Amino acid sequence: MGSRGRTIAASMKSADLSSDARPQHILHEVFGYSAFRGAQADIVDHVVAGGDALVLMPTGGGKSLCYQIPAIARHRSQQGVTVVVSPLIALMHDQVGALEEAGVHAAFLNSSLSGEQAAHVEREMMSGRLVMLYAAPERITNPRFLAQLDSLQERGLLSLFAIDEAHCVSQWGHDFRSEYLALSLLHERYPEVPRIALTATADDLTRADIIERLRLEEARIFISSFDRPNIRYTIVEKDSKPRDQLLRFIQDEHGEDAGVVYCQSRKKVDETADWLVSAGIKALPYHAGLDAAVRQRHQDRFLREDSIVMVATIAFGMGIDKPDVRFVAHLDLPKNIESYYQETGRAGRDGAPADAWMTYGLADVVNQRRMIDESPAGEEFKKGQRGKLDALLALAEATDCRRVRLLAYFGELSTACGNCDNCLVPPATWDGTDAARKLLSCIYRFHQNGGQRFGAGHLIDVLRGKVTDKVTQYGHQSLSTWGIGADLPETQWRAVLRQLIALGHVFTEGEYMTLALADSARAVLKGEVQLLLRVPSVAPKRGKLSRSSGTGKGKSAAPIELDEDAMERFEQLKNWRAEVAKEHGLPAYVIFQNVTLAEMARQNPQSLDELAGISGVGAKKLEAYGEEILRVLG
Ligand code: ADP
Ligand code: ZN
């Protein structure tokens, strides 16, 4: 700070701005929204005035407006061009399309442009006419591009740098990009140009890295709550056919909705996608083993069509800013709570009700433990990984509010949410202390009886007194633990074992995943540790997400409650939107989001004035589409 440019900018308080450059005015005129959300207003004021900012806000929190509105305000105050650094080349086209739809002059520079197109963008930028320029991080080190920025700067036309997905600068984060390291150059070369960095990654290590590596020591830090109140968390126990559980979940609750299903392996992605298709779901696979062109095509379809279910490994997701993803389902356990939060966070960016659903079982626990054990990493690192997995397992086994636990993990205190499975249908619990002791002593007997080790299936057979070939072969009918657990069904024994493994009292070994006792098992055997377990539930009945009652199979759901007539209008508006989107080569939500269309359908406006009052209808869109919409509504 302290330089001439900064001082002038810093005095540019909202009150001094010309009326058309005031943030509230821009929010309403350009984006059609009536009020800022949460910290948006403070962030925007701070950046408009020339301050640096680091914004930590959850996915769907509304980060884009935090730099787009300052960019527009400063451009309208003759401050020139905002450069937006984003790693997501594939999405720049849509982001720029959305701004142009709203009447904001924006463009991107990346390798997909022809020489002629790039030259045109550069002219627009150099003239200062451009409000926002999106660029990939590697461009920032390109000498020619830097010379252009220098020239803008000399003429007072370099307004602001916005660094999106700022966690990419951190090796701790999940998306490290080495090109981001070069962005410290922005501060060194243009100290008087304000910068705003944004991320949805919450943890302390990443945050510290961002500040240090992007030289944001002077920046004001804005931390929002990481709660996503519209997401309903549900974790169910895996039964013997998890894919059927998934299908039932999709069919019962998400008829024709867009969603993402995460699986751990490429093979499982392919199989699950095929299987869903055969069950009549519009599913597509996505993983790093697919051809780049196929991946791109599937991603495009997911973004552009209404009701695609993307079955994917975690290779899919970063920068998917499709606002109306209605569910994220996990068929396999994620690595840790950070991953679970990131992945589920891709649901419901538009703020309408959405589901985070996961099915999880004994094999997940065993697999994740084994992956850590077998990784080549050092012991210290593995210890950290195990601790993180334990926290996730505790979340999965929890009998109290999932959200309270999730937020507590990120250091936020909260109270029972009323919108997770455990809050909606509190699970019955039972005292599993005795059962756990029986199970552990059975493993102990195996061990005593010739040092042999066995897996879960055999263990449970012996406990329940089931005669099998293996039982006869090893003479296990003579064990003192033979049949001592006949009173409990197999599912319940699996739950006990899962808990014991989750808690680290039992571990598995080798290819056959045989079971062995950890030292800590002794305390449980002695009855010194009480185990409170969930009663295994068979797909707990619960209310649907509160939405349209008119939803039936074959029809997509509306994001808000609509009666039958309104539902019909909603469908008509969507058909109209699909045509416009196709004509413009943009995803439908860039034209209008579902929430906005649903609101139009509900209010059924009869004049442009009434239409203008609907959230999401800005001046430019009203002018471009207003008459047509009134005609569609009839
Ligand atoms: P993020 O980048 O933080 O994930 P976005 O910027 O994509 O979130 O915003 C999420 C959604 O919320 C978008 O659909 C956006 O249009 C909407 N939104 C953001 N701010 C507001 C606001 N003040 N009023 C109404 N809708 C908003
Ligand atoms: Zn809850």
Side-chain angles (χ1 to χ4, degrees), residues 27 33 35-37 40 58-65 323 349 593:
L27 178 72
Y33 297 142
F36 281 111
R37 272 188 198 157
Q40 278 177 335
T59 305
K63 282 185 287 300
S64 319
L65 292 189
R349 289 173 86 114
Q593 298 189 9

Side-chain angles (χ1 to χ4, degrees), residues 27 31-38 40 57-69 164-165 198-200 228 321 323 345 348-351 589 593 595 615-616:
L27 178 72
F31 298 95
Y33 297 142
S34 53
F36 281 111
R37 272 188 198 157
Q40 278 177 335
M57 207 183 254
T59 305
K63 282 185 287 300
S64 319
L65 292 189
C66 294
Y67 62 85
Q68 289 173 344
I69 290 187
D164 207 1
E165 313 287 350
L198 311 103
T199 177
R228 302 285 311 280
D321 58 2
R349 289 173 86 114
D350 55 9
Y589 64 81
Q593 298 189 9
V595 267
S615 180

Side-chain angles (χ1 to χ4, degrees), residues 105-322:
H105 191 20
F108 60 85
L109 277 178
N110 65 37
S111 49
S112 74
L113 297 183
S114 69
E116 206 175 306
Q117 289 170 320
H120 176 73
V121 170
E122 286 174 7
R123 275 196 307 278
E124 289 301 290
M125 171 173 86
M126 296 314 285
S127 71
R129 276 194 295 271
L130 206 58
V131 181
M132 270 173 262
L133 177 83
Y134 282 76
E138 49 271 26
R139 193 158 292 261
I140 302 299
T141 49
N142 172 326
R144 186 176 134 80
F145 186 67
L146 284 173
Q148 288 171 331
L149 294 187
D150 290 349
S151 158
L152 280 175
Q153 155 77 351
E154 277 154 26
R155 292 178 288 134
L157 290 177
L158 188 54
S159 170
L160 169 69
F161 291 111
I163 303 168
D164 207 1
E165 313 287 350
H167 59 277
C168 289
V169 80
S170 170
Q171 257 132 346
W172 293 109
H174 32 90
D175 299 304
F176 175 63
R177 311 253 170 151
S178 56
E179 315 89 66
Y180 260 66
L181 293 173
L183 296 179
S184 60
L185 175 151
L186 296 177
H187 171 68
E188 285 141 24
R189 194 157 171 139
Y190 310 107
E192 52 293 302
V193 178
R195 292 170 302 147
I196 172 171
L198 311 103
T199 177
T201 301
D203 66 279
D204 293 348
L205 282 174
T206 312
R207 189 190 316 168
D209 255 6
I210 295 174
I211 293 172
E212 187 195 322
R213 297 191 169 172
L214 294 179
R215 308 283 320 274
L216 282 166
E217 291 89 353
E218 310 265 306
R220 202 169 135 191
I221 302 178
F222 296 88
I223 303 176
S224 301
S225 164
F226 272 72
D227 186 20
R228 302 285 311 280
N230 60 314
I231 296 184
R232 177 188 287 184
Y233 298 99
T234 302
I235 303 178
V236 302
E237 281 143 281
K238 255 183 203 167
D239 60 24
S240 55
K241 293 193 178 130
R243 284 197 309 213
D244 287 322
Q245 288 179 294
L246 172 70
L247 182 64
R248 240 177 290 133
F249 162 72
I250 296 177
Q251 285 176 337
D252 290 355
E253 312 202 19
H254 292 282
E256 294 261 300
D257 287 340
V260 181
V261 175
Y262 281 113
C263 305
Q264 205 164 51
S265 70
R266 297 171 184 185
K267 184 160 163 269
K268 189 157 173 189
V269 164
D270 289 333
E271 288 169 0
T272 306
D274 282 350
W275 188 82
L276 285 174
V277 168
S278 71
I281 307 283
K282 272 200 266 172
L284 293 173
Y286 189 105
H287 56 71
L290 291 172
D291 205 51
V294 174
R295 275 206 314 265
Q296 185 64 45
R297 201 168 61 234
H298 289 184
Q299 171 165 325
D300 279 350
R301 282 193 59 192
F302 179 71
L303 293 176
R304 278 166 174 70
E305 292 177 30
D306 247 355
S307 51
I308 300 282
V309 172
M310 192 70 113
V311 185
T313 59
I314 50 168
F316 178 76
M318 158 99 159
I320 294 306
D321 58 2
K322 185 177 170 65

Side-chain angles (χ1 to χ4, degrees), residues 233 400-404 415-424:
Y233 298 99
D400 52 1
C401 177
R402 310 264 189 209
R403 192 180 313 269
V404 166
T415 52
C417 74
N419 192 28
C420 71
D421 53 354
N422 287 350
C423 280
L424 290 165

Side-chain angles (χ1 to χ4, degrees), residues 42-62:
D42 288 342
I43 298 166
V44 167
D45 278 345
H46 181 72
V47 177
V48 167
D52 290 341
L54 171 58
V55 173
L56 301 129
M57 207 183 254
T59 305

